Amino acid sequence: MKNILITGGAGFIGSHVVRLFVNKYPEYNIINLDALTYAGNLENLKDIEKKANYNFVKADICDFDRMKQVFLEYEINGVIHLAAESHVDRSIKDPFSFAKTNVMGTLSLLQAAKLYWNGNYEEKLFYHVSTDEVYGSLGSDGFFTEETSYDPHSPYSASKASSDHFVRAFQDTYGMPTVISNCSNNYGSYQFPEKLIPLFINNICNDKPLPVYGKGENVRDWLFVDDHARAIDVIFHKGVIGDTYNIGGFNEWKNIDLIKVIIKTVDKLLGRVEGTSEKLITFIEDRAGHDFRYAIDSTKLKEELGWKPSLQFEEGIEKTVKWYLENQKWVERITSGNYKKYYLSMYNKEI
């Protein structure tokens, strides 16, 4: 049996990865490690929490002694590292917490793995999940490839770039088998509603303003979270040790155009005249260090490992909007903080 440690498994992307691995690989023992900060929610995994091959550990990746214990207790031979502070606006206000979690937390895991594996790297893998934001910003043309130089512009992307470098350093210095993926913006179910798509869906439902930075001209590539989980599965099992893989959705959208698609979809599903909620768009001062455009070239992943996205954006966004409309109680609990009660009911402890 493979004992796979998935960090950040109660978060948005992590919960989808945990669910996929638990259901697809009953012969694996999946250990979901999460500190259950504001974005981690065990309700995201209610459907698999009773599975025999699922284990939950509440712990902070920055707690090095605890990480050493986890590797020893569960005999970890594979790591999929997703735990991270990820919201750019938060990083601008509090860069220290991003450096702590994303840099020192990753280093804590790497060192714990190195000590436990003790040079025996056969059938071992440390898979680090990163972001396209480490590459900086693109102009109107071109794409990020695996060869693009790093040029981070925000405290968040700088912290992720640093963690990427530490992963590669452990491979080069100690021979640890590692792999890295850099993904574009994700969307889908269970995303904490500080991020653009769930925030705007919620605001449209409640007739609240839709804050748009600048003129909404910034461009992002959007990836459906289930497709990202599938890509992680493929890379974990088939990726070349020491390689980097870019994961993108081949879905570039200007923010303002994306927002209008969300408005149209929500209005339609709520029985409103399509476009009615465009009146809620409110342009605000642009964000400091706001990258103009991200665009991922996923050719390597497609040609070498056979992965490709399953959905185009319009189809994916309709599925996503439907999920949030059908799960308003989840949205209410997550925005009010009442999701913490679920952990209390499960473990008789406060988060």
Side-chain angles (χ1 to χ4, degrees):
M1 177 177 284
K2 289 188 175 181
N3 299 317
I4 310 302
L5 177 66
I6 301 179
T7 69
F12 167 45
I13 299 171
S15 62
H16 286 270
V17 175
V18 167
R19 179 179 293 102
L20 174 64
F21 272 68
V22 166
N23 288 330
K24 186 174 180 180
Y25 302 106
E27 72 276 18
Y28 290 4
N29 188 30
I30 304 301
I31 298 90
N32 169 18
L33 187 145
D34 200 294
L36 296 181
T37 58
Y38 75 96
N41 183 2
L42 287 179
E43 284 187 291
N44 297 355
L45 293 164
K46 287 177 71 172
D47 56 316
I48 57 123
E49 64 187 7
K50 303 295 186 184
K51 298 268 188 168
N53 64 330
Y54 172 74
N55 305 269
F56 173 70
V57 176
K58 183 179 182 296
D60 186 340
I61 59 172
C62 296
D63 185 344
F64 178 51
D65 289 337
R66 185 72 178 102
M67 293 307 98
K68 289 190 291 183
Q69 291 174 355
V70 169
F71 272 82
L72 182 63
E73 179 181 351
Y74 291 96
E75 301 180 347
I76 301 299
N77 46 38
V79 178
I80 302 175
H81 176 36
L82 290 128
E85 294 281 356
S86 65
H87 192 47
V88 175
D89 286 351
R90 284 179 183 263
S91 80
I92 293 170
K93 292 182 178 181
D94 181 17
F96 283 99
S97 64
F98 281 70
K100 179 182 177 183
T101 299
N102 296 351
V103 182
M104 298 307 295
T106 300
L107 182 57
S108 171
L109 283 167
L110 286 164
Q111 185 71 357
K114 182 178 81 72
L115 293 176
Y116 178 68
W117 292 339
N118 194 28
N120 177 16
Y121 293 131
E122 185 176 356
E123 299 296 321
K124 308 293 195 305
L125 181 65
F126 191 105
Y127 178 2
H128 178 58
V129 179
S130 189
T131 172
D132 60 353
E133 296 192 38
V134 299
Y135 298 126
S137 182
L138 290 167
S140 299
D141 301 313
F143 296 89
F144 296 137
T145 73
E146 289 80 3
E147 307 303 319
T148 301
S149 298
Y150 277 28
D151 185 24
H153 292 163
S154 71
Y156 163 60
S157 56
S159 68
K160 291 298 288 185
S162 178
S163 65
D164 291 4
H165 291 321
F166 268 108
V167 172
R168 293 192 178 98
F170 267 65
Q171 165 114 17
D172 293 343
T173 304
Y174 306 112
M176 180 181 291
T178 68
V179 67
I180 295 174
S181 61
N182 299 85
C183 73
S184 59
N185 286 27
N186 280 220
Y187 71 97
S189 56
Y190 297 110
Q191 187 170 28
F192 192 82
E194 68 181 355
K195 297 298 182 77
L196 189 152
I197 289 178
L199 173 67
F200 278 34
I201 293 171
N202 197 37
N203 283 12
I204 294 166
C205 290
N206 293 286
D207 290 315
K208 293 182 178 180
L210 306 177
V212 181
Y213 285 121
K215 296 180 180 179
E217 296 293 317
N218 302 74
V219 178
R220 298 292 181 265
D221 176 29
W222 291 91
L223 174 66
F224 190 55
V225 66
D226 288 340
D227 285 334
H228 188 190
R230 287 177 42 249
I232 289 172
D233 178 21
V234 170
I235 294 167
F236 182 81
H237 288 96
K238 298 181 180 179
V240 175
I241 298 299
D243 263 12
T244 297
Y245 297 90
N246 281 351
I247 311 172
F250 300 100
N251 275 309
E252 280 190 67
W253 287 82
K254 284 185 180 180
N255 284 348
I256 191 63
D257 295 334
L258 165 83
I259 290 161
K260 289 180 179 178
V261 171
I262 297 171
I263 289 170
K264 179 180 178 181
T265 306
V266 176
D267 282 347
K268 179 181 72 173
L269 293 175
L270 289 179
R272 301 173 179 171
V273 176
E274 292 181 16
T276 299
S277 299
E278 286 191 19
K279 67 180 185 296
L280 299 173
I281 294 174
T282 305
F283 294 101
I284 61 175
E285 183 180 353
D286 207 357
R287 181 166 68 195
H290 198 177
D291 294 331
F292 173 66
R293 174 174 171 260
Y294 305 143
I296 282 275
D297 183 348
S298 298
T299 301
K300 176 179 177 179
L301 181 58
K302 180 179 179 181
E303 293 185 349
E304 294 187 9
L305 303 185
W307 173 91
K308 62 181 180 179
S310 65
L311 296 176
Q312 289 303 305
F313 184 76
E314 290 89 340
E315 182 182 359
I317 200 63
E318 181 149 342
K319 290 183 67 171
T320 300
V321 170
K322 283 182 178 178
W323 187 89
Y324 283 98
L325 294 182
E326 291 168 358
N327 290 272
Q328 281 297 297
K329 288 185 178 179
W330 180 91
V331 175
E332 291 167 6
R333 286 194 296 271
I334 201 81
T335 52
S336 69
N338 285 336
Y339 69 95
K340 295 178 182 179
K341 293 179 181 177
Y342 184 75
Y343 181 79
L344 179 62
S345 70
M346 284 291 294
Y347 296 95
N348 199 30
K349 294 179 182 178
E350 297 282 355
I351 289 179

